[in-house]
Amino acid sequence: MQKFIVRVESEEKRFLDKMDGECYALNAALGEEYCREFVEKAAAESRIVLFYGESAVKTARRFGADGVILDLGAEDVKEKVQALWKELGKGCVVGLFTRNRRHESMIVSEAEPDFVVFKVWKDGFESVKELTDWYNDFFLIQSAAWIMESGVDLATLKTDFVITAEAGE
């Protein structure tokens, strides 16, 4: 059964009022006060917070988040991840985006992130499903589906995590 990571894309009070999810992916471009309050509340409720976006590393370090979800490309990924762990600490959670191609997903996996993230749209869904099926059959690194639009058949994906704007979407 897949676990959900709730993607927080805007400063919505409902997330601060009630944290139903176990893990949240918070946009690093959100306001400083919202990010601070979100991370503090999540920590008090034993929830996991991962930042994504352009300033994810800086924001995660500033607020003491659990980790990041990043797009580091496919070149020198292992070195980049080593530098990241040095900056954020070995215990931080690292999710890495990959292009929806086998070769790049293998290269990204060699850096040993906590999970590899595949973007999923309705258009081209079958090819992404085939890729994630293949990936999960051959790799021990966990995988996540970053849902780009509603209407994607989540139940048929073999990923360990689903990252979506609504838990259980």
Side-chain angles (χ1 to χ4, degrees):
M1 175 110 186
Q2 298 161 320
K3 299 262 185 190
F4 283 87
I5 298 175
V6 180
R7 189 170 63 236
V8 180
E9 300 170 327
S10 61
E11 296 182 23
E12 295 183 50
K13 189 173 178 342
R14 67 185 171 110
F15 292 118
L16 295 173
D17 291 341
K18 187 174 183 187
M19 290 192 166
D20 290 330
E22 293 177 38
C23 183
Y24 293 85
L26 196 61
N27 187 336
L30 297 176
E32 185 174 324
E33 189 54 41
Y34 185 81
C35 290
R36 176 179 287 108
E37 188 177 350
F38 196 101
V39 172
E40 288 173 1
K41 181 164 175 65
E45 295 189 21
S46 300
R47 307 293 192 236
I48 298 168
V49 176
L50 311 173
F51 278 99
Y52 72 92
E54 199 170 308
S55 60
V57 174
K58 182 177 107 177
T59 307
R61 189 178 62 239
R62 172 190 247 161
F63 298 115
D66 300 289
V68 293
I69 302 172
L70 302 173
D71 186 343
L72 298 178
E75 293 190 28
D76 303 319
V77 183
K78 194 164 194 138
E79 292 81 10
K80 291 174 185 175
V81 170
Q82 295 298 325
L84 182 64
W85 278 324
K86 193 173 189 175
E87 185 173 354
L88 293 177
K90 265 295 209 191
C92 84
V93 175
V94 175
L96 294 180
F97 282 101
T98 181
R99 302 304 168 270
N100 290 340
R101 295 186 291 269
R102 286 183 179 194
H103 183 71
E104 185 167 329
S105 64
M106 290 187 306
I107 290 171
V108 169
S109 294
E110 288 174 356
E112 299 180 8
D114 294 289
F115 59 96
V116 173
V117 183
F118 298 88
K119 291 183 179 178
V120 182
W121 290 267
K122 286 188 292 189
D123 185 33
F125 174 79
E126 286 304 317
S127 65
V128 176
K129 182 187 177 320
E130 182 181 307
L131 174 63
T132 57
D133 287 354
W134 167 82
Y135 182 88
N136 282 305
D137 286 343
F138 288 102
F139 293 89
L140 296 175
I141 305 286
Q142 294 182 313
S143 64
W146 184 282
I147 306 304
M148 300 299 294
E149 59 188 345
S150 61
V152 172
D153 187 5
L154 306 177
T156 62
L157 292 170
K158 283 187 176 178
T159 58
D160 300 289
F161 306 105
V162 173
I163 303 170
T164 180
E166 293 293 332
E169 184 176 276

